[in-house]
Amino acid sequence: MNSQELFERSQKVAPGGVHSPVRAFKSVGGSPLFFERAEGAYLYSVEGKRYIDFCQSFGPLILGHRDPDVAEAVSSIFHKAWTFGACEPYSLELAEWITHRIPWVEKLRFVNSGTEAVMSALRLARAATGRSKILKFEGCYHGHVDSMLVKAGSGLAGLAASDSAGVSQEQASNTLVCPLDDIESFNKLMDDFGSEIAMVALEPLPANFGLLQQKKEFIQAIAKKCKENGSLLLFDEVISGFRIKMGGMAEDLGVVPDLVTYGKVMGGGFPVGCYGGREDLMNMVAPSGPVYQAGTLSANPVGMVAGLATLQKVEKEKVIKSIDGRGREFEEDLNSFFEEKKLPIRLLRKGSLFWMYGGQADTPRSLGDIPDGHGEQFKKIFHKCLEHGLYLAPSGYEVGFLSHAHTPEILSEAMQIIKKSVEEVYEV
Ligand SMILES: *Cc1c(COP(=O)(O)O)cnc(C)c1O
């Protein structure tokens, strides 16, 4: 069966034919590809066509698909157990590895996804402060937690409106939404609602609505205001943790959060997330404290050993630095081509994350910097790339992921494909 036939079948048994919305190609149009196999930097469709993969499962695969060292760790645990539902040494090793390297993660708790990590951190922040409101930033994604599925309301500045059916107005009304890169609005919200705000949640590198790099001073000012106000600061590093630096954006910026959430890279491609931070806060989590949080498959040994093998390799082989070096060449080469051909597009990059941007801002930092036609423009580039054997995440608001498996040779082939595709789209 080809992809189209499989998608028709899928639509009969799953909403929209998928188990996570972006996979359905709705924002780029057409029928999604079905893949049967992946290796390193490549995906193989059921039709047997090979694609250079810049989606990399949306972030967990910093080493590429089926890295041999991770595969070995997984196959060795496979012969011992799949799940215990009891104490075991594997999660201890991963927890020690992380807490020994990241000083602001004094204690942590493993969960099964980024969403769960954020949801639990939020409950903890409310318990620790005795306050109910939270503040998030427009364009930051924190998983499908009810109170985070909100957008800026049209009425009173700061008050949120539900951004998904099924999220009640009561849930939305406890969330305040602030634009990115706008310290005045942030300070005003904190001054107006200060004593009610339990937690300020932030992607310190917003990478779920394009790539919106924030000024260091903005993040520093947020941290300072949180401290003055007694609101806890959550860095949601599900995408940036162990990717931008080992200690994520907190290390990159030199700003220490009270709580942090990780996922993606940390599980090496298996369903793993965690929340952690100050010991006094984490001690409030059950069974040592009153904040209930549990999971049948939490700290699943397969995910634990895959995560540890991934992080050890990232550290040992200086993967972050190496991808950054290759990424710089990728960025510079493509941007000088776009400039030379006078194409209205640029590649923005931070470490292993990149995003194609066609707007006016030097560095886009907030939703207002993204031009209206962005999605339409991306759609065309996406399909041309696909035609030429390169798979980008199927939405113009998702970032691209470089991995350790994207060798200079593969990147050079990818650049040829992107150049050709963009030229065809802009007909130069
Ligand atoms: C991906 C992501 C999440 C959600 O993680 P899931 O594992 O998909 O639930 C939360 N926050 C950020 C910053 C993310 O990038």
Side-chain angles (χ1 to χ4, degrees):
M1 276 204 174
N2 65 26
S3 293
Q4 207 158 352
E5 289 160 346
L6 290 168
F7 190 52
E8 275 158 29
R9 262 171 69 193
S10 295
Q11 283 171 295
K12 298 198 178 109
V13 291
V18 291
H19 300 279
S20 194
V22 198
R23 297 179 195 172
F25 275 32
K26 264 191 111 165
S27 66
V28 290
S31 184
L33 288 176
F34 276 60
F35 298 102
E36 60 180 7
R37 195 163 67 80
E39 174 119 40
Y42 296 112
L43 287 171
Y44 297 85
S45 71
V46 293
E47 287 82 10
K49 184 168 167 178
R50 191 184 80 175
Y51 296 85
I52 297 176
D53 179 20
F54 280 136
C55 177
Q56 294 288 325
S57 195
F58 293 96
L61 302 171
I62 197 168
L63 300 175
H65 293 277
R66 291 174 53 232
D67 175 82
D69 294 312
V70 179
E72 196 181 297
V74 169
S75 71
S76 79
I77 194 75
F78 188 74
H79 294 289
K80 294 179 184 161
W82 298 347
T83 177
F84 297 101
C87 294
E88 34 62 47
Y90 310 105
S91 58
L92 170 62
E93 279 176 37
L94 182 56
E96 282 181 348
W97 196 95
I98 294 170
T99 54
H100 290 171
R101 278 161 185 79
I102 306 182
W104 52 94
V105 183
E106 293 171 344
K107 275 194 181 171
L108 62 77
R109 167 63 61 82
F110 291 117
V111 293
N112 303 298
S113 68
T115 295
E116 245 189 275
V118 172
M119 183 184 77
S120 311
L122 176 54
R123 185 179 307 136
L124 173 55
R126 283 184 169 140
T129 57
R131 302 173 179 181
S132 335
K133 287 201 190 313
I134 52 169
L135 188 152
K136 82 177 281 286
F137 292 85
E138 211 177 359
C140 286
Y141 179 65
H142 302 290
H144 63 93
V145 180
D146 284 307
S147 51
M148 294 289 193
L149 285 181
V150 298
K151 59 187 172 195
S154 51
L156 264 183
L159 288 184
S162 155
D163 201 18
S164 162
V167 172
S168 68
Q169 199 44 51
E170 289 79 66
Q171 282 164 321
S173 68
N174 265 324
T175 307
L176 302 164
V177 182
C178 180
L180 284 165
D181 190 40
D182 184 348
I183 197 63
E184 277 93 60
S185 296
F186 176 75
N187 284 338
K188 173 134 195 347
L189 282 173
M190 292 295 271
D191 292 339
D192 290 352
F193 295 95
S195 60
E196 296 172 70
I197 299 176
M199 178 173 98
V200 171
L202 174 71
E203 270 185 89
L205 175 64
N208 281 286
F209 207 106
L211 188 62
L212 301 172
Q213 285 186 246
Q214 301 302 294
K215 292 189 195 109
K216 187 173 177 170
E217 307 84 77
F218 178 59
I219 312 248
Q220 285 168 331
I222 292 172
K224 181 161 172 273
K225 192 78 178 172
C226 282
K227 192 152 273 159
E228 289 166 5
N229 198 60
S231 305
L232 298 175
L233 176 63
L234 169 73
F235 273 6
D236 182 356
E237 302 235 38
V238 170
I239 214 166
S240 51
F242 309 104
R243 174 178 289 282
I244 298 305
K245 291 268 165 61
M246 216 35 128
M249 284 302 290
E251 182 183 333
D252 194 66
L253 296 160
V255 176
V256 170
D258 300 293
L259 290 168
V260 61
T261 46
Y262 299 118
K264 298 190 174 130
V265 169
M266 206 197 87
F270 291 84
V272 178
C274 83
Y275 63 108
R278 272 167 43 197
E279 184 169 9
D280 62 313
L281 296 173
M282 292 307 292
N283 282 342
M284 292 188 72
V285 176
S288 58
V291 180
Y292 191 70
Q293 187 271 307
T296 303
L297 291 174
S298 288
N300 177 268
V302 182
M304 295 293 106
V305 300
L308 185 60
T310 300
L311 298 183
Q312 282 173 330
K313 183 159 178 171
V314 168
E315 183 178 66
K316 187 159 144 266
E317 302 195 6
K318 301 191 168 49
V319 165
I320 293 174
K321 198 158 168 242
S322 143
I323 303 180
D324 187 44
R326 290 181 204 167
R328 180 164 301 119
E329 284 174 32
F330 180 72
E331 172 192 351
E332 286 171 0
D333 185 301
L334 282 172
N335 282 340
S336 48
F337 174 83
F338 297 150
E339 206 168 302
E340 196 183 297
K341 299 274 174 181
K342 305 208 166 14
L343 297 171
I345 189 169
R346 265 182 307 141
L347 191 111
L348 304 173
R349 186 186 64 90
K350 172 89 178 165
S352 49
L353 300 177
F354 70 85
W355 185 48
M356 302 220 232
Y357 174 69
Q360 297 301 315
D362 267 349
T363 306
R365 301 190 196 279
S366 68
L367 266 50
D369 291 332
I370 304 177
D372 290 339
H374 176 79
E376 282 306 303
Q377 213 49 265
F378 176 79
K379 198 170 170 170
K380 296 180 197 151
I381 297 173
F382 172 84
H383 282 289
K384 281 291 175 198
C385 285
L386 206 59
E387 199 181 304
H388 299 307
L390 187 146
Y391 188 76
L392 294 162
S395 157
Y397 299 92
E398 300 288 346
V399 291
F401 295 88
L402 301 170
S403 85
H404 193 49
H406 291 88
T407 60
E409 295 70 39
I410 295 173
L411 286 179
S412 143
E413 190 192 340
M415 286 189 281
Q416 294 315 316
I417 294 177
I418 293 172
K419 288 176 190 173
K420 187 156 73 172
S421 301
V422 170
E423 273 188 314
E424 287 169 6
V425 166
Y426 292 101
E427 293 173 342
V428 289

